[in-house]
């Protein structure tokens, strides 16, 4: 299958060209659409409705109306819905992967992995839904009895990015549905087709109409976001994206005092100590840095290698990158696909040129790949990195690995923490005491120790500092979509009745 072709789906009804509101696929009231461009071909691959504020208000109204009955469903009922949705994703995994590769560009093998990961959040939260326990609390006042119950926060607005078209959505929808919330999800304008395929599967899974709504927009993205954040009906907003946009959404949400959870930008340090298993550290760094061509919020952005093994690490790391095959995601043997658009390519190239200008040495890659298309860039390794280079302070979000040399544990922790953000961090070492010491010292929300991959539906996902707040996945994920209501019963201390 050529990277420039329309995907040949087993179930062609999964390819939708309309948004999803109140259980139906609908156009924008204005009739306007926007074009979606495939990153591999650079060509238009389809159109989607350009929703405006009025269209989004209709979706919010549908979610609000559905909330009245959906919040009264039992956790077991919601569990069965999510389980059915999970099973439908699994049954249609091949088609969903084809859609992801088509609109996002990642290799088909990676897309299949994303579908499995995305579906796992429906499975996980189908198991959490029946276990929304309250507590019985010993009262301080005689005769009172105090207990708590968990209730859905209400209608939720979910805003997701393009880098994981399926997983970023299911990681938010899963806990929302499990908690008994209804929702309006803003599909990423660059990659809307995957989310609308999920909408079709929601229908088949028996999700009641109005519970799940998907709105689409490109030119009106800011207007749509502001409609969600300023609506008094929306009680919760969850956003994954840049820190700058997160700050804006937070300001917009202030007047209506919404519950918020934000997973924002990262600048992950990846530290390799002298006592590491070198082969494992190289493999871990490759997995962390070049997954999805470096377009993940938790990928290694600054790779710090202790001076005693720096040269050997750089040599082995570069050798691994030589075996990558870049191309369109459907093509046989391709390990890495294109970047999402030309702006991403420009940023990556700027970071490479800046590093070279300041004394960095490119050991492999470093150039665009125009023979493949406008959005392709060679996987790149740069040695001799210094703190003055842009990569040291800015998230590259592309296939560029800058290798920094460090001397001591204390020095590298200072370097790793010298950033406003704190999403993920990684390090490799065999020293048990160092494992605890460094993990506790890193100012991040998640730490990978002797591994470059940390994503797991069972593990809480989220950051600190300018990387946001709140947690997704795990037993904590559902808390973001609930309120705790306290109930106090008075006059409960009477003696037993009887003659």
């Amino acid at each position: 299958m050529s990277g420039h072709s329309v995907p040949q789906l087993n179930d062609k009804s999964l390819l939708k060209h309309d948004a999803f509101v109140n259980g139906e696929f609908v156009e924008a009231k204005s009739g306007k659409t926007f074009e979606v461009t495939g990153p591999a071909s650079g060509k238009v691959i389809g159109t989607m409705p350009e929703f405006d504020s009025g269209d989004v208000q209709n979706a919010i109204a549908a979610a609000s109306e559905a909330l009245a009955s959906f919040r009264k469903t039992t956790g077991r009922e919601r569990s069965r819905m999510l389980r059915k949705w999970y099973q439908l994703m699994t049954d249609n995994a091949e088609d969903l992967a084809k859609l992801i590769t088509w609109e996002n560009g990642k290799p088909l093998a990676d897309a299949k992995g994303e579908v499995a990961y995305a579906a796992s959040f429906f499975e996980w939260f189908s198991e959490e839904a029946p276990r929304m326990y309250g507590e019985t609390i010993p009262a301080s006042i005689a005769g009172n009895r105090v207990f708590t119950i968990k209730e859905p926060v209400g209608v939720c607005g979910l805003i997701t990015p393009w880098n994981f078209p399926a997983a970023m959505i299911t990681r938010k929808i899963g806990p929302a549905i499990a908690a008994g919330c209804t929702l309006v999800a803003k599909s990423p304008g660059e990659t809307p087709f995957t989310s609308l395929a999920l909408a079709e599967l929601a229908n088949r899974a028996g999700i009641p109409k109005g519970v799940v709504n998907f709105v689409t927009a490109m030119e009106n993205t800011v207007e749509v976001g502001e409609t969600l954040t300023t609506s008094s009906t929306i009680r919760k907003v969850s956003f994954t994206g840049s820190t700058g946009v997160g700050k804006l959404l937070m300001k917009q949400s202030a007047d209506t005092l919404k519950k918020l959870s934000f997973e924002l930008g990262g600048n992950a340090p990846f530290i390799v100590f002298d006592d590491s298993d070198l082969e494992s550290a190289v493999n871990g760094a490759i997995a962390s840095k070049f997954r999805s061509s470096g377009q993940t919020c938790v990928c290694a952005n600054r790779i710090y290698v202790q001076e005693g093994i720096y040269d050997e690490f750089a040599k082995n790391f570069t050798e691994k990158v030589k075996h990558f095959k870049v191309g369109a995601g459907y093509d046989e043997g391709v390990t890495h696909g294109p970047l999402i658009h030309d702006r991403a390519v420009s940023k990556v190239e700027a970071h490479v040129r800046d590093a070279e200008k300041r004394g960095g040495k490119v050991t492999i890659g470093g150039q665009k790949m125009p023979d493949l298309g406008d959005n392709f860039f060679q996987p790149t390794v740069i040695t001799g990195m210094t703190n003055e280079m842009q990569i040291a302070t800015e998230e590259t979000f592309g296939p560029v690995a800058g290798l920094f040399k460090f001397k001591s544990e204390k020095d590298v922790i200072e370097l790793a923490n010298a950033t406003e953000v704190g999403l993920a961090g990684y390090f490799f070492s065999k020293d048990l005491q160092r494992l605890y010491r460094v993990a506790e010292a890193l100012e991040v929300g998640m730490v990978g120790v002797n591994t470059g991959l940390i994503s797991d539906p069972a593990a809480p996902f989220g950051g600190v500092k300018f990387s946001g707040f709140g947690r997704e996945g795990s037993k904590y994920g559902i808390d973001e979509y609930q309120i705790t209501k306290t109930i106090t019963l008075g006059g409960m201390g009477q003696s037993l009745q009887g003659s």
Side-chain angles (χ1 to χ4, degrees):
M1 182 185 293
S2 167
H4 301 171
S5 300
V6 174
Q8 300 301 307
L9 303 182
N10 298 314
D11 183 350
K12 292 182 174 56
S13 67
L14 290 178
L15 181 55
K16 301 295 184 182
H17 294 274
D18 293 317
F20 185 70
V21 176
N22 205 25
E24 297 180 354
F25 290 93
V26 298
E27 299 177 349
K29 295 294 184 183
S30 66
K32 292 181 179 179
T33 61
F34 64 91
E35 295 178 339
V36 181
T37 302
S41 66
K43 298 177 181 178
V44 175
I45 60 176
T47 62
M48 275 289 176
E50 184 70 67
F51 267 34
D52 59 22
S53 180
D55 294 307
V56 177
Q57 290 288 2
N58 290 337
I60 294 172
S64 180
E65 183 177 352
L67 179 66
S69 57
F70 191 67
R71 67 180 299 146
K72 296 177 182 177
T73 56
T74 66
R76 183 59 63 189
E77 289 176 296
R78 300 192 295 275
S79 173
R80 293 190 183 109
M81 293 178 197
L82 284 170
R83 183 71 195 188
K84 183 71 180 295
W85 204 353
Y86 158 77
Q87 190 60 53
L88 286 167
M89 284 192 68
T90 302
D91 294 344
N92 292 276
E94 183 177 351
D95 282 349
L96 292 173
K98 288 177 180 178
L99 288 173
I100 291 172
T101 295
W102 186 49
E103 61 182 352
N104 171 276
K106 66 179 63 177
L108 192 58
D110 285 2
K112 289 178 179 178
E114 181 186 341
V115 173
Y117 179 54
S120 72
F121 286 103
F122 285 162
E123 181 182 38
W124 175 267
F125 285 107
S126 76
E127 296 161 349
E128 290 293 296
R131 297 175 175 83
M132 292 167 43
Y133 299 119
E135 292 184 301
T136 301
I137 301 170
S140 301
I141 300 173
N144 280 4
R145 300 294 182 265
V146 181
F147 63 96
T148 64
I149 59 174
K150 296 294 182 70
E151 293 184 338
V153 68
V155 180
C156 302
L158 313 179
I159 305 175
T160 60
W162 49 262
N163 57 339
F164 288 91
M168 294 299 95
I169 290 174
T170 61
R171 194 161 70 183
K172 298 179 189 298
I173 290 180
I177 296 296
C181 299
T182 60
L183 60 99
V184 178
K186 164 63 171 68
S187 302
E190 297 86 352
T191 58
F193 292 103
T194 302
S195 61
L196 273 303
L198 294 178
E200 170 63 22
L201 296 181
N203 255 351
R204 299 180 193 179
I207 307 294
K209 71 175 187 177
V211 170
V212 174
N213 304 274
F214 287 94
V215 301
T216 58
M218 180 63 83
E219 183 180 341
N220 294 338
T221 293
V222 173
E223 179 182 338
V224 169
E226 188 170 7
T227 302
L228 292 174
T229 53
T230 58
S231 169
S232 58
T233 304
I234 298 282
R235 298 310 311 145
K236 152 80 179 185
V237 169
S238 177
F239 169 70
T240 297
S242 71
T243 297
V245 174
K247 289 179 179 181
L248 176 62
L249 296 177
M250 192 172 181
K251 289 179 181 178
Q252 293 174 350
S253 300
D255 283 347
T256 50
L257 289 177
K258 299 188 191 316
K259 188 168 186 174
L260 304 173
S261 53
F262 288 170
E263 190 259 285
L264 307 176
N267 187 358
F270 190 106
I271 304 168
V272 184
F273 289 101
D274 281 345
D275 65 345
S276 303
D277 179 288
L278 187 62
E279 182 179 2
S280 295
V282 168
N283 290 335
I286 289 287
S288 179
K289 173 66 255 183
F290 290 106
R291 179 186 176 203
S292 296
S293 296
Q295 298 176 111
T296 82
C297 53
V298 294
C299 74
N301 199 61
R302 300 166 291 155
I303 301 177
Y304 296 104
V305 185
Q306 202 157 13
E307 56 187 4
I309 59 170
Y310 182 91
D311 291 341
E312 187 177 3
F313 180 95
K315 176 184 175 183
N316 294 354
F317 188 82
T318 301
E319 192 62 34
K320 287 277 186 183
V321 176
K322 287 180 181 178
H323 293 92
F324 291 174
K325 180 180 178 181
V326 181
Y330 293 128
D331 292 349
E332 187 70 27
V334 166
T335 59
H336 294 78
L339 299 183
I340 190 65
H341 44 51
D342 57 357
R343 299 187 304 280
V345 174
S346 295
K347 183 176 183 181
V348 167
E349 184 177 37
H351 277 194
V352 173
R353 301 287 87 84
D354 172 76
E356 286 183 316
K357 178 182 177 182
R358 298 174 187 272
K361 179 183 177 182
V362 175
T363 63
I364 188 171
Q367 301 296 328
K368 296 180 182 179
M369 306 178 75
D371 52 321
L372 292 178
D374 292 340
N375 297 329
F376 290 88
F377 198 92
Q378 294 174 336
T380 301
V381 180
I382 307 175
T383 58
M385 295 294 296
T386 64
N387 298 327
E388 293 73 32
M389 298 175 184
Q390 289 177 341
I391 293 175
T393 56
E394 299 177 14
E395 187 177 27
T396 303
F397 228 68
V400 179
L403 308 186
F404 297 75
K405 186 183 294 186
F406 75 92
K407 290 185 177 182
S408 71
E409 184 181 293
K410 184 174 183 295
D411 290 340
V412 78
I413 293 300
E414 289 179 356
L415 292 170
N417 290 340
T419 176
E420 291 182 331
V421 294
L423 189 58
Y426 309 83
F427 69 94
F428 274 68
S429 174
K430 293 179 182 178
D431 186 324
L432 180 61
Q433 291 180 324
R434 173 179 280 160
L435 299 186
Y436 277 90
R437 195 165 59 236
V438 172
E440 292 171 0
L442 286 171
E443 296 174 357
V444 295
M446 301 170 287
V447 180
V449 183
N450 293 329
T451 180
L453 300 174
I454 58 175
S455 296
D456 184 334
F461 191 102
V464 298
K465 301 197 290 190
F466 281 21
S467 288
F469 42 81
R471 292 296 178 265
E472 295 187 316
S474 80
K475 69 175 185 177
Y476 302 108
I478 198 169
D479 292 344
E480 304 291 339
Y481 296 86
Q482 296 175 318
I483 60 171
T484 299
K485 178 177 284 185
T486 303
I487 300 175
T488 301
L489 305 179
M492 302 300 292
Q494 304 98 328
S495 300
L496 291 173
Q497 296 182 352
S499 56

